[in-house]
Amino acid sequence: MRRKLLYLGSICLLFSLTAPVAIARPQDRDDERRERRDDDKHKGQRYYDREHRDYHNWDAREDRAYRNYFNENHRPYRAYSKLKRKEQQEYWNWRHNHPDDDRDRDRDRDHDRH
């Protein structure tokens, strides 16, 4: 009898420790899918930056810069389309100050000449 209770107690303990992990996993996967779906909506999109009067193509490089923006500012990730206009402009301001290769620096230098 005592052995059965010990066995049953072990199973209950194991279940109570693994259940939160098993329950949380599907939610995490749903969030990741939703995030990827939102990101895919932007790929191939072109956005106009009113303040700097230029266009930005949303591609893998822009997506990487956008994620870096959130990391540097210690903010939780949000899809670009979910941001308010002011927040979107804050991103473009940051982006113009953080070019990621020579092509961006050349474009910014040419833009400043005009």
Side-chain angles (χ1 to χ4, degrees):
M1 178 73 176
R2 187 169 185 211
R3 192 175 272 189
K4 288 181 183 179
L5 287 175
L6 184 62
Y7 178 75
L8 186 60
S10 298
I11 289 176
C12 289
L13 178 63
L14 180 64
F15 180 75
S16 66
L17 293 174
T18 58
V21 173
I23 291 170
R25 283 288 186 215
Q27 176 65 33
D28 291 344
R29 281 189 228 117
D30 288 344
D31 290 345
E32 288 174 17
R33 282 189 206 115
R34 194 174 305 114
E35 229 176 67
R36 259 188 258 121
R37 189 179 62 236
D38 287 344
D39 290 343
D40 289 344
K41 286 180 190 175
H42 297 295
K43 289 186 178 145
Q45 291 272 39
R46 194 170 181 205
Y47 293 96
Y48 183 67
D49 177 357
R50 289 179 181 208
E51 192 171 305
H52 296 98
R53 295 184 180 136
D54 63 353
Y55 287 91
H56 298 270
N57 292 320
W58 199 277
D59 54 14
R61 191 185 56 175
E62 195 65 54
D63 188 63
R64 190 171 35 256
Y66 183 67
R67 291 174 184 279
N68 287 338
Y69 168 74
F70 279 94
N71 287 334
E72 281 187 22
N73 291 293
H74 308 287
R75 295 180 182 175
Y77 178 85
R78 288 179 52 209
Y80 180 81
S81 61
K82 305 282 187 207
L83 298 179
K84 295 177 182 172
R85 183 176 284 184
K86 180 182 175 198
E87 293 170 317
Q88 290 176 348
Q89 190 58 56
E90 288 172 3
Y91 168 68
W92 294 125
N93 290 339
W94 176 89
R95 187 68 172 111
H96 276 271
N97 291 318
H98 294 81
D100 57 359
D101 64 16
D102 292 338
R103 187 174 38 193
D104 284 346
R105 281 189 282 279
D106 292 342
R107 185 193 69 218
D108 290 342
R109 188 173 43 243
D110 292 341
H111 182 269
D112 291 340
R113 287 182 196 156
H114 298 306

